[in-house]
Amino acid sequence: MSATSASPAKPRTTAVVLAGGTGQRVGLSIPKQLLKIAGKAVIEHTLSVFERSDSIDDVIVLMAPGYVPDVEKIVAKAGLAKVSRIIEGGSTRNETTERAIAALGEGLADGEDRNVLFHDAVRPLLSQHVIKDCVEALERYQAVDVAIPSADTIIVTRTHGEDGEFITDVPDRSRLRRGQTPQAFKLSTIRRAYEIAAGDPNFQATDDCSVVLRYLPDVPIHVVAGDEFNMKVTQPVDVFIADKLFQLASATAPQQSSDDSYRELLTGRTVVVFGGSYGIGADIAQLAQDFGAAVYALGRSTTGTHVENPEHVDDALSRAYAETGRIDYVVNTAGVLRIGKLAETDNTTIQEALNVNYLAPVQIARASYKYLSETKGQLLLYTSSSYTRGRAEYSLYSSTKAAMVNLTQALSDEWAADGIRVNCVNPERTATPMRTRAFGQEPEGSLLSSEAVARTSLDVLLSELTGHVIDVRQQDPTRGASEASDFEQALAAVLDRQEDVK
Protein backbone atom coordinates (compact mmCIF):
# COMPACT_ATOMS: atom_id res chain seq x y z
CA MET A 1 0.00 0.00 0.00
CA SER A 2 1.32 3.46 -0.89
CA ALA A 3 2.71 5.55 1.95
CA THR A 4 0.82 8.57 0.65
CA SER A 5 -2.91 8.42 0.07
CA ALA A 6 -4.52 10.21 -2.87
CA SER A 7 -6.01 13.60 -2.04
CA PRO A 8 -9.81 13.79 -2.25
CA ALA A 9 -11.23 14.94 -5.56
CA LYS A 10 -12.00 18.63 -5.77
CA PRO A 11 -15.79 19.17 -5.67
CA ARG A 12 -17.43 20.54 -8.78
CA THR A 13 -18.38 24.21 -8.53
CA THR A 14 -21.52 25.51 -10.24
CA ALA A 15 -22.59 29.13 -10.57
CA VAL A 16 -26.35 29.58 -10.50
CA VAL A 17 -27.35 32.87 -12.11
CA LEU A 18 -30.71 33.97 -10.77
CA ALA A 19 -32.45 35.96 -13.49
CA GLY A 20 -36.08 35.75 -12.46
CA GLY A 21 -36.65 39.45 -11.86
CA THR A 22 -38.65 41.85 -14.02
CA GLY A 23 -37.93 45.34 -15.24
CA GLN A 24 -40.74 47.08 -13.38
CA ARG A 25 -38.52 49.17 -11.11
CA VAL A 26 -36.50 50.49 -14.05
CA GLY A 27 -39.64 51.14 -16.09
CA LEU A 28 -39.11 48.38 -18.65
CA SER A 29 -41.49 46.07 -20.46
CA ILE A 30 -38.79 43.35 -20.51
CA PRO A 31 -36.79 41.80 -17.64
CA LYS A 32 -34.00 44.16 -16.60
CA GLN A 33 -31.40 41.42 -17.12
CA LEU A 34 -32.10 41.66 -20.88
CA LEU A 35 -31.49 45.39 -20.94
CA LYS A 36 -28.40 46.32 -22.94
CA ILE A 37 -25.53 48.02 -21.14
CA ALA A 38 -22.27 48.81 -22.96
CA GLY A 39 -23.53 47.01 -26.04
CA LYS A 40 -24.53 43.71 -24.40
CA ALA A 41 -27.45 42.41 -22.37
CA VAL A 42 -26.83 42.66 -18.62
CA ILE A 43 -27.08 38.89 -18.27
CA GLU A 44 -24.45 38.35 -20.98
CA HIS A 45 -21.99 40.49 -19.03
CA THR A 46 -22.75 38.47 -15.90
CA LEU A 47 -22.44 35.10 -17.61
CA SER A 48 -19.17 36.18 -19.23
CA VAL A 49 -17.67 36.82 -15.79
CA PHE A 50 -18.29 33.19 -14.79
CA GLU A 51 -17.20 31.95 -18.22
CA ARG A 52 -13.77 33.50 -17.60
CA SER A 53 -13.42 32.22 -14.04
CA ASP A 54 -11.02 29.34 -13.43
CA SER A 55 -12.95 28.60 -10.22
CA ILE A 56 -16.23 27.80 -11.98
CA ASP A 57 -16.91 24.49 -13.76
CA ASP A 58 -20.38 25.15 -15.13
CA VAL A 59 -23.26 27.63 -15.02
CA ILE A 60 -27.01 27.19 -14.67
CA VAL A 61 -29.39 30.05 -15.45
CA LEU A 62 -32.82 30.45 -13.83
CA MET A 63 -34.68 32.85 -16.12
CA ALA A 64 -37.94 34.73 -15.79
CA PRO A 65 -40.89 32.74 -17.16
CA GLY A 66 -41.36 33.21 -20.89
CA TYR A 67 -37.83 34.47 -21.57
CA VAL A 68 -35.77 31.28 -21.65
CA PRO A 69 -35.45 31.41 -25.49
CA ASP A 70 -33.98 34.92 -25.22
CA VAL A 71 -31.19 33.68 -22.96
CA GLU A 72 -30.61 30.64 -25.16
CA LYS A 73 -29.98 32.99 -28.11
CA ILE A 74 -27.59 35.13 -26.05
CA VAL A 75 -25.64 32.10 -24.87
CA ALA A 76 -25.38 30.65 -28.37
CA LYS A 77 -24.35 33.94 -29.94
CA ALA A 78 -21.71 34.67 -27.29
CA GLY A 79 -20.35 31.11 -27.25
CA LEU A 80 -20.73 30.73 -23.49
CA ALA A 81 -19.62 27.12 -23.22
CA LYS A 82 -19.96 26.81 -19.43
CA VAL A 83 -23.72 27.41 -19.47
CA SER A 84 -25.08 23.88 -19.17
CA ARG A 85 -28.77 24.54 -18.49
CA ILE A 86 -31.28 27.37 -18.77
CA ILE A 87 -34.34 26.75 -16.61
CA GLU A 88 -37.52 28.75 -16.12
CA GLY A 89 -37.55 30.32 -12.66
CA GLY A 90 -40.40 30.36 -10.19
CA SER A 91 -42.81 33.08 -9.16
CA THR A 92 -40.72 33.94 -6.07
CA ARG A 93 -37.01 34.04 -5.22
CA ASN A 94 -37.46 31.06 -2.89
CA GLU A 95 -39.19 28.98 -5.55
CA THR A 96 -36.48 29.86 -8.08
CA THR A 97 -33.73 28.74 -5.69
CA GLU A 98 -35.61 25.50 -4.97
CA ARG A 99 -35.76 24.74 -8.70
CA ALA A 100 -32.02 25.35 -8.94
CA ILE A 101 -31.32 23.03 -6.00
CA ALA A 102 -33.42 20.30 -7.60
CA ALA A 103 -31.54 20.67 -10.89
CA LEU A 104 -28.17 20.59 -9.14
CA GLY A 105 -29.05 17.37 -7.35
CA GLU A 106 -29.85 15.47 -10.53
CA GLY A 107 -27.28 12.82 -11.33
CA LEU A 108 -25.33 13.14 -8.09
CA ALA A 109 -24.18 9.88 -6.53
CA ASP A 110 -25.03 9.06 -2.92
CA GLY A 111 -22.81 11.09 -0.61
CA GLU A 112 -21.57 13.29 -3.44
CA ASP A 113 -21.59 17.02 -2.84
CA ARG A 114 -20.75 20.12 -4.85
CA ASN A 115 -20.15 23.81 -4.40
CA VAL A 116 -22.81 26.23 -5.59
CA LEU A 117 -22.67 30.00 -5.98
CA PHE A 118 -25.99 31.84 -6.27
CA HIS A 119 -25.56 35.17 -8.04
CA ASP A 120 -27.96 37.90 -9.15
CA ALA A 121 -28.01 38.24 -12.93
CA VAL A 122 -28.28 42.01 -12.51
CA ARG A 123 -24.88 42.27 -10.82
CA PRO A 124 -22.80 42.27 -14.03
CA LEU A 125 -19.68 43.91 -12.55
CA LEU A 126 -18.69 41.01 -10.30
CA SER A 127 -14.91 40.68 -10.03
CA GLN A 128 -12.90 37.50 -10.42
CA HIS A 129 -11.27 37.82 -7.02
CA VAL A 130 -14.66 37.70 -5.24
CA ILE A 131 -15.55 34.46 -7.05
CA LYS A 132 -12.17 32.98 -6.16
CA ASP A 133 -12.49 34.03 -2.50
CA CYS A 134 -15.95 32.45 -2.23
CA VAL A 135 -14.83 29.11 -3.68
CA GLU A 136 -11.74 29.04 -1.47
CA ALA A 137 -13.87 29.81 1.60
CA LEU A 138 -16.02 26.75 0.81
CA GLU A 139 -12.96 24.58 1.49
CA ARG A 140 -13.49 25.40 5.17
CA TYR A 141 -17.08 26.62 5.55
CA GLN A 142 -20.47 25.32 4.44
CA ALA A 143 -22.03 28.74 3.82
CA VAL A 144 -20.45 31.98 2.58
CA ASP A 145 -21.86 35.47 2.07
CA VAL A 146 -20.34 38.49 0.30
CA ALA A 147 -20.65 41.91 1.92
CA ILE A 148 -19.12 45.38 2.13
CA PRO A 149 -19.12 47.93 4.97
CA SER A 150 -21.97 50.40 5.00
CA ALA A 151 -20.85 53.94 4.25
CA ASP A 152 -24.29 55.26 5.20
CA THR A 153 -25.85 55.49 8.62
CA ILE A 154 -28.68 52.95 8.84
CA ILE A 155 -31.84 53.88 10.71
CA VAL A 156 -34.71 51.72 11.92
CA THR A 157 -38.15 53.30 11.57
CA ARG A 158 -41.74 52.67 12.47
CA THR A 159 -44.81 54.14 10.79
CA HIS A 160 -47.35 55.95 12.95
CA GLY A 161 -50.48 56.19 10.88
CA GLU A 162 -50.85 59.35 8.84
CA ASP A 163 -47.92 61.00 10.67
CA GLY A 164 -45.43 58.96 8.63
CA GLU A 165 -42.17 57.33 9.73
CA PHE A 166 -40.18 57.92 12.89
CA ILE A 167 -36.74 56.64 13.92
CA THR A 168 -36.78 53.91 16.57
CA ASP A 169 -33.12 52.90 16.48
CA VAL A 170 -29.76 53.82 14.93
CA PRO A 171 -27.57 50.67 14.91
CA ASP A 172 -23.81 50.90 15.28
CA ARG A 173 -22.59 51.36 11.70
CA SER A 174 -19.25 49.67 12.38
CA ARG A 175 -21.04 46.33 12.62
CA LEU A 176 -23.32 46.81 9.62
CA ARG A 177 -22.57 45.37 6.20
CA ARG A 178 -24.31 45.61 2.84
CA GLY A 179 -24.98 42.18 1.44
CA GLN A 180 -24.09 41.31 -2.13
CA THR A 181 -23.92 38.16 -4.20
CA PRO A 182 -22.71 35.55 -4.89
CA GLN A 183 -23.78 33.59 -1.85
CA ALA A 184 -21.94 30.29 -1.77
CA PHE A 185 -22.83 26.96 -0.18
CA LYS A 186 -22.18 23.29 -0.08
CA LEU A 187 -25.16 21.95 -1.99
CA SER A 188 -26.04 19.59 0.85
CA THR A 189 -26.23 22.54 3.26
CA ILE A 190 -28.50 24.83 1.26
CA ARG A 191 -30.67 21.87 0.25
CA ARG A 192 -31.13 20.86 3.92
CA ALA A 193 -31.98 24.46 4.88
CA TYR A 194 -34.73 24.61 2.25
CA GLU A 195 -36.06 21.18 3.25
CA ILE A 196 -36.54 22.41 6.82
CA ALA A 197 -37.96 25.73 5.62
CA ALA A 198 -40.58 23.87 3.59
CA GLY A 199 -42.19 22.83 6.85
CA ASP A 200 -42.64 26.43 7.96
CA PRO A 201 -46.01 27.81 6.74
CA ASN A 202 -44.65 31.37 7.19
CA PHE A 203 -41.42 30.78 5.27
CA GLN A 204 -40.31 33.76 3.23
CA ALA A 205 -36.81 35.00 2.46
CA THR A 206 -35.21 37.44 0.04
CA ASP A 207 -31.82 35.75 0.03
CA ASP A 208 -30.36 32.31 0.67
CA CYS A 209 -27.98 33.00 3.58
CA SER A 210 -30.94 34.09 5.68
CA VAL A 211 -32.51 30.65 5.06
CA VAL A 212 -29.40 28.94 6.42
CA LEU A 213 -29.20 31.41 9.32
CA ARG A 214 -32.80 30.76 10.33
CA TYR A 215 -33.18 27.04 9.74
CA LEU A 216 -29.61 25.81 10.30
CA PRO A 217 -28.52 28.10 13.15
CA ASP A 218 -25.54 25.91 14.02
CA VAL A 219 -23.96 26.42 10.59
CA PRO A 220 -21.59 29.42 10.63
CA ILE A 221 -21.87 31.75 7.64
CA HIS A 222 -18.49 33.12 6.68
CA VAL A 223 -18.31 36.62 5.17
CA VAL A 224 -16.08 37.35 2.18
CA ALA A 225 -15.23 40.95 1.35
CA GLY A 226 -17.09 42.21 -1.70
CA ASP A 227 -16.44 45.47 -3.52
CA GLU A 228 -18.25 48.65 -4.45
CA PHE A 229 -18.05 47.78 -8.14
CA ASN A 230 -20.43 44.83 -7.62
CA MET A 231 -23.56 46.97 -7.89
CA LYS A 232 -27.09 45.70 -8.51
CA VAL A 233 -29.06 47.18 -11.40
CA THR A 234 -32.48 47.78 -9.87
CA GLN A 235 -33.30 51.48 -10.25
CA PRO A 236 -33.29 53.71 -13.36
CA VAL A 237 -30.14 55.52 -12.19
CA ASP A 238 -28.36 52.15 -11.85
CA VAL A 239 -28.67 51.61 -15.61
CA PHE A 240 -26.84 54.85 -16.29
CA ILE A 241 -24.15 54.22 -13.64
CA ALA A 242 -23.49 50.66 -14.79
CA ASP A 243 -23.17 51.77 -18.39
CA LYS A 244 -20.58 54.38 -17.42
CA LEU A 245 -18.69 51.91 -15.22
CA PHE A 246 -18.45 49.47 -18.13
CA GLN A 247 -17.11 52.24 -20.32
CA LEU A 248 -14.49 53.15 -17.72
CA ALA A 249 -13.56 49.68 -16.53
CA SER A 250 -10.67 48.00 -18.28
CA ALA A 251 -9.93 44.40 -19.05
CA THR A 252 -6.67 42.49 -18.84
CA ALA A 253 -5.51 40.53 -21.85
CA PRO A 254 -4.12 37.09 -20.96
CA GLN A 255 -0.42 36.80 -21.73
CA GLN A 256 0.99 33.85 -23.64
CA SER A 257 3.12 31.44 -21.65
CA SER A 258 6.19 31.67 -23.88
CA ASP A 259 7.57 32.99 -27.15
CA ASP A 260 6.76 29.60 -28.63
CA SER A 261 3.07 30.21 -27.87
CA TYR A 262 3.13 33.53 -29.71
CA ARG A 263 4.91 31.88 -32.62
CA GLU A 264 2.40 29.03 -32.79
CA LEU A 265 -0.56 31.43 -32.82
CA LEU A 266 0.88 33.93 -35.30
CA THR A 267 2.64 31.74 -37.84
CA GLY A 268 0.61 31.76 -41.04
CA ARG A 269 -1.54 34.69 -39.92
CA THR A 270 -1.75 38.05 -41.69
CA VAL A 271 -1.54 41.30 -39.72
CA VAL A 272 -2.26 44.69 -41.28
CA VAL A 273 -1.05 47.68 -39.26
CA PHE A 274 -2.14 51.19 -40.19
CA GLY A 275 0.11 53.76 -38.58
CA GLY A 276 2.96 51.28 -38.76
CA SER A 277 5.74 53.71 -39.71
CA TYR A 278 6.95 54.33 -36.17
CA GLY A 279 6.01 54.17 -32.49
CA ILE A 280 3.49 51.63 -31.25
CA GLY A 281 2.41 50.58 -34.74
CA ALA A 282 5.98 49.84 -35.88
CA ASP A 283 6.67 47.86 -32.69
CA ILE A 284 3.52 45.76 -33.16
CA ALA A 285 4.51 45.05 -36.75
CA GLN A 286 8.04 44.03 -35.75
CA LEU A 287 6.85 41.78 -32.92
CA ALA A 288 4.24 40.04 -35.08
CA GLN A 289 6.77 39.53 -37.86
CA ASP A 290 9.34 38.11 -35.44
CA PHE A 291 6.73 35.56 -34.35
CA GLY A 292 6.03 34.39 -37.89
CA ALA A 293 3.11 36.51 -39.09
CA ALA A 294 2.88 38.04 -42.54
CA VAL A 295 2.85 41.73 -41.66
CA TYR A 296 1.88 44.78 -43.68
CA ALA A 297 3.09 47.90 -41.84
CA LEU A 298 1.54 50.91 -43.53
CA GLY A 299 2.25 54.55 -42.90
CA ARG A 300 2.37 57.96 -44.48
CA SER A 301 6.17 58.28 -44.27
CA THR A 302 7.07 54.72 -45.30
CA THR A 303 4.48 53.39 -47.75
CA GLY A 304 2.69 56.62 -48.61
CA THR A 305 -0.52 55.28 -47.07
CA HIS A 306 -2.84 58.04 -45.86
CA VAL A 307 -5.42 56.47 -43.55
CA GLU A 308 -7.81 59.34 -44.20
CA ASN A 309 -7.95 58.30 -47.86
CA PRO A 310 -10.47 55.44 -48.29
CA GLU A 311 -8.81 54.33 -51.53
CA HIS A 312 -5.45 53.93 -49.78
CA VAL A 313 -7.10 51.81 -47.08
CA ASP A 314 -8.93 49.62 -49.61
CA ASP A 315 -5.79 49.16 -51.70
CA ALA A 316 -3.70 48.17 -48.68
CA LEU A 317 -6.20 45.56 -47.50
CA SER A 318 -6.83 44.10 -50.96
CA ARG A 319 -3.08 43.78 -51.57
CA ALA A 320 -2.51 41.96 -48.26
CA TYR A 321 -5.41 39.63 -49.03
CA ALA A 322 -4.24 38.97 -52.60
CA GLU A 323 -0.74 38.07 -51.46
CA THR A 324 -1.57 35.93 -48.42
CA GLY A 325 -5.17 34.80 -49.00
CA ARG A 326 -6.32 36.00 -45.59
CA ILE A 327 -6.38 38.90 -43.12
CA ASP A 328 -6.57 37.90 -39.46
CA TYR A 329 -5.86 41.14 -37.62
CA VAL A 330 -6.27 44.79 -38.54
CA VAL A 331 -4.65 47.35 -36.25
CA ASN A 332 -4.95 51.13 -36.44
CA THR A 333 -2.52 53.20 -34.38
CA ALA A 334 -2.54 56.23 -36.72
CA GLY A 335 -3.47 59.52 -35.11
CA VAL A 336 -2.69 63.20 -34.88
CA LEU A 337 -2.41 65.30 -31.73
CA ARG A 338 -3.13 68.98 -32.18
CA ILE A 339 -3.19 71.11 -29.04
CA GLY A 340 -4.85 74.50 -28.85
CA LYS A 341 -8.00 76.43 -28.09
CA LEU A 342 -10.83 75.43 -30.40
CA ALA A 343 -11.87 79.03 -31.12
CA GLU A 344 -8.34 79.70 -32.40
CA THR A 345 -8.04 76.53 -34.48
CA ASP A 346 -8.31 76.83 -38.24
CA ASN A 347 -10.61 74.70 -40.37
CA THR A 348 -7.74 72.77 -41.94
CA THR A 349 -6.51 71.57 -38.53
CA ILE A 350 -10.03 70.65 -37.44
CA GLN A 351 -10.65 68.69 -40.62
CA GLU A 352 -7.33 66.85 -40.28
CA ALA A 353 -8.13 65.80 -36.71
CA LEU A 354 -11.56 64.53 -37.69
CA ASN A 355 -10.32 62.78 -40.82
CA VAL A 356 -7.37 60.97 -39.19
CA ASN A 357 -8.65 60.35 -35.67
CA TYR A 358 -12.28 59.51 -36.42
CA LEU A 359 -13.23 59.03 -40.06
CA ALA A 360 -10.15 56.94 -40.85
CA PRO A 361 -10.87 54.30 -38.16
CA VAL A 362 -14.48 54.19 -39.34
CA GLN A 363 -13.34 53.59 -42.92
CA ILE A 364 -10.74 51.02 -41.82
CA ALA A 365 -13.41 49.15 -39.88
CA ARG A 366 -15.84 49.26 -42.79
CA ALA A 367 -13.25 48.07 -45.30
CA SER A 368 -11.89 45.34 -42.99
CA TYR A 369 -15.23 43.70 -42.28
CA LYS A 370 -15.35 41.34 -45.26
CA TYR A 371 -11.82 40.07 -44.61
CA LEU A 372 -12.17 39.64 -40.84
CA SER A 373 -15.51 37.86 -41.20
CA GLU A 374 -13.71 35.15 -43.20
CA THR A 375 -11.05 34.51 -40.55
CA LYS A 376 -13.11 35.37 -37.45
CA GLY A 377 -10.40 37.91 -36.81
CA GLN A 378 -10.04 41.09 -34.81
CA LEU A 379 -10.00 44.85 -35.31
CA LEU A 380 -7.86 46.70 -32.77
CA LEU A 381 -8.32 50.43 -32.20
CA TYR A 382 -6.64 52.87 -29.82
CA THR A 383 -7.93 55.49 -27.46
CA SER A 384 -6.21 57.85 -25.03
CA SER A 385 -6.27 58.46 -21.29
CA SER A 386 -8.15 61.69 -22.07
CA TYR A 387 -11.21 59.85 -23.40
CA THR A 388 -13.06 59.85 -20.08
CA ARG A 389 -12.93 63.59 -19.62
CA GLY A 390 -12.52 66.30 -22.23
CA ARG A 391 -9.87 68.84 -21.27
CA ALA A 392 -9.13 72.40 -22.27
CA GLU A 393 -7.04 72.65 -25.44
CA TYR A 394 -7.51 68.93 -26.19
CA SER A 395 -11.11 69.14 -27.40
CA LEU A 396 -10.47 67.61 -30.83
CA TYR A 397 -8.15 64.88 -29.62
CA SER A 398 -10.06 63.78 -26.51
CA SER A 399 -13.48 63.83 -28.22
CA THR A 400 -12.30 61.70 -31.15
CA LYS A 401 -10.62 59.28 -28.74
CA ALA A 402 -13.85 58.98 -26.76
CA ALA A 403 -15.51 58.12 -30.06
CA MET A 404 -13.10 55.18 -30.47
CA VAL A 405 -14.43 53.61 -27.26
CA ASN A 406 -18.02 53.95 -28.42
CA LEU A 407 -17.11 52.65 -31.87
CA THR A 408 -15.41 49.64 -30.31
CA GLN A 409 -18.38 48.75 -28.13
CA ALA A 410 -20.89 49.26 -30.94
CA LEU A 411 -18.97 47.20 -33.51
CA SER A 412 -18.21 44.39 -31.06
CA ASP A 413 -21.96 43.95 -30.61
CA GLU A 414 -22.77 44.47 -34.29
CA TRP A 415 -20.15 41.98 -35.49
CA ALA A 416 -20.43 39.37 -32.72
CA ALA A 417 -22.62 37.10 -34.83
CA ASP A 418 -19.93 37.13 -37.52
CA GLY A 419 -17.25 36.07 -35.05
CA ILE A 420 -15.28 39.31 -35.39
CA ARG A 421 -13.73 40.69 -32.21
CA VAL A 422 -13.24 44.43 -31.72
CA ASN A 423 -11.18 45.89 -28.89
CA CYS A 424 -9.58 49.18 -27.92
CA VAL A 425 -6.21 49.69 -26.21
CA ASN A 426 -5.84 52.63 -23.82
CA PRO A 427 -2.16 53.26 -23.12
CA GLU A 428 -1.15 55.80 -20.51
CA ARG A 429 1.35 58.47 -21.53
CA THR A 430 3.67 56.70 -23.96
CA ALA A 431 7.03 57.64 -25.44
CA THR A 432 6.21 58.01 -29.14
CA PRO A 433 7.40 60.44 -31.82
CA MET A 434 3.90 61.97 -31.92
CA ARG A 435 4.09 62.78 -28.22
CA THR A 436 7.63 64.13 -28.48
CA ARG A 437 6.56 66.48 -31.25
CA ALA A 438 3.72 67.77 -29.06
CA PHE A 439 5.51 68.02 -25.71
CA GLY A 440 9.22 67.80 -26.37
CA GLN A 441 11.55 65.66 -24.27
CA GLU A 442 10.08 64.52 -20.94
CA PRO A 443 11.78 63.10 -17.82
CA GLU A 444 13.24 59.64 -18.34
CA GLY A 445 11.09 56.92 -16.81
CA SER A 446 7.95 59.07 -16.72
CA LEU A 447 6.49 57.50 -19.87
CA LEU A 448 5.42 54.03 -20.86
CA SER A 449 7.52 52.45 -23.61
CA SER A 450 5.92 51.85 -26.99
CA GLU A 451 7.34 48.29 -26.87
CA ALA A 452 5.29 47.54 -23.73
CA VAL A 453 2.12 48.79 -25.41
CA ALA A 454 2.92 46.71 -28.49
CA ARG A 455 3.35 43.53 -26.43
CA THR A 456 0.01 44.06 -24.68
CA SER A 457 -1.60 44.81 -28.05
CA LEU A 458 -0.37 41.47 -29.32
CA ASP A 459 -1.87 39.75 -26.27
CA VAL A 460 -5.20 41.43 -27.02
CA LEU A 461 -5.12 40.28 -30.64
CA LEU A 462 -4.51 36.68 -29.56
CA SER A 463 -7.23 36.72 -26.88
CA GLU A 464 -10.95 36.00 -27.10
CA LEU A 465 -11.81 39.42 -25.67
CA THR A 466 -14.24 41.63 -27.55
CA GLY A 467 -15.81 44.98 -26.78
CA HIS A 468 -13.20 45.81 -24.14
CA VAL A 469 -11.03 48.78 -23.30
CA ILE A 470 -7.64 47.46 -22.22
CA ASP A 471 -5.51 49.76 -20.09
CA VAL A 472 -1.73 49.58 -20.44
CA ARG A 473 -0.04 51.13 -17.43
CA GLN A 474 3.30 51.26 -15.72
CA GLN A 475 3.30 49.11 -12.60
CA ASP A 476 3.85 50.71 -9.21
CA PRO A 477 7.03 48.94 -8.02
CA THR A 478 5.86 49.11 -4.40
CA ARG A 479 2.60 47.27 -5.07
CA GLY A 480 1.81 44.55 -7.56
CA ALA A 481 -1.41 44.62 -9.51
CA SER A 482 -2.49 41.37 -7.87
CA GLU A 483 -2.51 43.08 -4.46
CA ALA A 484 -5.13 45.62 -5.48
CA SER A 485 -8.79 44.74 -5.91
CA ASP A 486 -10.38 45.02 -9.33
CA PHE A 487 -12.28 48.05 -8.08
CA GLU A 488 -9.15 49.72 -6.71
CA GLN A 489 -7.35 49.24 -10.00
CA ALA A 490 -10.30 50.57 -11.99
CA LEU A 491 -10.74 53.54 -9.66
CA ALA A 492 -7.04 54.36 -9.80
CA ALA A 493 -7.17 54.22 -13.59
CA VAL A 494 -10.17 56.58 -13.72
CA LEU A 495 -8.54 59.07 -11.34
CA ASP A 496 -5.29 58.99 -13.29
CA ARG A 497 -7.15 59.59 -16.55
CA GLN A 498 -8.54 62.78 -15.07
CA GLU A 499 -5.04 64.17 -14.68
CA ASP A 500 -3.78 66.47 -17.41
CA VAL A 501 -2.94 64.31 -20.44
CA LYS A 502 0.50 65.87 -20.43
Side-chain angles (χ1 to χ4, degrees):
M1 185 175 178
S2 173
T4 58
S5 59
S7 59
K10 182 181 177 181
R12 190 170 185 82
T13 299
T14 300
V16 175
V17 175
L18 301 171
T22 66
Q24 292 179 351
R25 276 186 285 183
V26 291
L28 298 173
S29 59
I30 61 171
K32 55 196 172 185
Q33 53 271 26
L34 295 179
L35 177 71
K36 283 198 173 183
I37 291 179
K40 298 179 183 177
V42 171
I43 193 170
E44 181 177 343
H45 286 295
T46 304
L47 293 174
S48 295
V49 172
F50 290 111
E51 183 77 17
R52 297 192 302 269
S53 174
D54 293 334
S55 302
I56 300 299
D57 296 304
D58 65 313
V59 181
I60 294 177
V61 181
L62 275 294
M63 187 57 190
Y67 291 94
V68 168
D70 296 83
V71 180
E72 290 174 340
K73 291 177 183 176
I74 289 171
V75 169
K77 180 180 177 182
L80 299 169
K82 286 187 180 180
V83 178
S84 58
R85 296 184 66 178
I86 303 169
I87 305 168
E88 193 169 273
S91 58
T92 65
R93 167 66 181 262
N94 301 149
E95 185 182 344
T96 298
T97 299
E98 288 169 347
R99 291 188 182 189
I101 292 171
L104 289 165
E106 293 175 5
L108 285 183
D110 290 342
E112 184 182 358
D113 210 350
R114 71 163 66 187
N115 298 331
V116 55
L117 276 65
F118 292 100
H119 185 66
D120 297 325
V122 288
R123 291 187 186 271
L125 289 155
L126 174 66
S127 60
Q128 294 294 333
H129 81 86
V130 171
I131 299 174
K132 182 173 179 287
D133 290 349
C134 285
V135 176
E136 289 180 351
L138 286 175
E139 295 176 7
R140 182 175 180 184
Y141 303 99
Q142 299 176 53
V144 178
D145 202 356
V146 172
I148 57 176
S150 175
D152 298 316
T153 296
I154 304 299
I155 61 173
V156 179
T157 67
R158 178 175 296 173
T159 301
H160 290 273
E162 296 180 356
D163 292 332
E165 289 185 302
F166 294 84
I167 293 177
T168 60
D169 191 17
V170 181
D172 179 4
R173 190 174 69 185
S174 67
R175 299 182 60 190
L176 297 177
R177 299 292 182 269
R178 290 160 50 200
Q180 299 182 332
T181 64
Q183 294 184 332
F185 308 91
K186 292 295 183 183
L187 176 59
S188 57
T189 299
I190 190 65
R191 180 166 53 198
R192 179 59 180 154
Y194 268 88
E195 287 172 351
I196 297 172
D200 181 355
N202 298 315
F203 169 56
Q204 187 175 1
T206 57
D207 75 297
D208 299 308
C209 278
S210 63
V211 181
V212 173
L213 182 66
R214 181 173 181 180
Y215 297 103
L216 294 177
D218 294 332
V219 174
I221 303 173
H222 180 68
V223 178
V224 161
D227 63 45
E228 293 283 354
F229 225 26
N230 188 19
M231 65 175 292
K232 188 176 183 180
V233 179
T234 57
Q235 303 294 338
V237 68
D238 298 332
V239 177
F240 174 80
I241 293 171
D243 195 63
K244 290 303 176 186
L245 286 174
F246 266 110
Q247 187 182 54
L248 296 175
S250 61
T252 301
Q255 298 179 347
Q256 299 303 313
S257 58
S258 66
D259 284 358
D260 288 340
S261 298
Y262 287 103
R263 194 166 290 108
E264 180 181 348
L265 292 169
L266 284 167
T267 298
R269 302 294 190 269
T270 299
V271 183
V272 178
V273 183
F274 292 98
S277 296
Y278 53 79
I280 296 169
D283 290 334
I284 292 172
Q286 187 61 59
L287 268 177
Q289 184 172 301
D290 290 345
F291 288 128
V295 177
Y296 292 80
L298 307 154
R300 181 176 301 190
S301 60
T302 52
T303 62
T305 304
H306 293 244
V307 292
E308 65 272 29
N309 186 324
E311 291 183 1
H312 286 198
V313 171
D314 288 337
D315 289 347
L317 291 169
S318 60
R319 179 192 162 208
Y321 184 80
E323 293 179 0
T324 67
R326 60 187 300 138
I327 295 178
D328 300 273
Y329 308 109
V330 176
V331 180
N332 178 48
T333 65
V336 292
L337 174 57
R338 301 289 182 255
I339 303 170
K341 296 179 180 179
L342 184 62
E344 300 172 0
T345 305
D346 59 65
N347 288 334
T348 301
T349 301
I350 292 173
Q351 196 61 54
E352 178 196 38
L354 293 175
N355 286 344
V356 176
N357 292 348
Y358 180 68
L359 293 178
V362 169
Q363 171 60 22
I364 289 169
R366 183 168 169 267
S368 300
Y369 171 79
K370 62 181 179 181
Y371 303 111
L372 295 177
S373 61
E374 278 189 14
T375 58
K376 311 300 181 187
Q378 182 176 161
L379 171 67
L380 187 61
L381 303 174
Y382 287 76
T383 186
S384 156
S385 58
S386 64
Y387 85 85
T388 60
R389 181 184 180 189
R391 301 192 64 85
E393 301 191 10
Y394 293 89
S395 58
L396 293 173
Y397 187 71
S398 61
S399 59
T400 53
K401 289 304 179 181
M404 289 305 96
V405 174
N406 282 279
L407 181 63
T408 295
Q409 293 172 336
L411 289 181
S412 68
D413 186 37
E414 188 174 320
W415 292 355
D418 301 301
I420 304 174
R421 287 159 288 129
V422 187
N423 289 296
C424 190
V425 170
N426 177 36
E428 66 175 338
R429 298 175 301 170
T430 306
T432 64
M434 181 179 77
R435 185 175 181 85
T436 301
R437 285 196 299 271
F439 300 114
Q441 291 297 323
E442 298 175 84
E444 186 177 351
S446 65
L447 302 177
L448 191 66
S449 72
S450 61
E451 293 87 353
V453 179
R455 174 69 72 156
T456 297
S457 299
L458 210 59
D459 289 332
V460 176
L461 289 175
L462 299 177
S463 75
E464 293 303 314
L465 294 174
T466 189
H468 287 278
V469 177
I470 295 90
D471 279 344
V472 188
R473 312 180 61 76
Q474 295 192 78
Q475 288 297 318
D476 179 350
T478 65
R479 188 183 193 200
S482 62
E483 296 179 60
S485 72
D486 294 352
F487 175 70
E488 288 174 319
Q489 294 179 57
L491 180 59
V494 171
L495 293 176
D496 284 349
R497 289 172 197 162
Q498 294 188 12
E499 297 297 323
D500 193 319
V501 291
K502 183 176 179 180

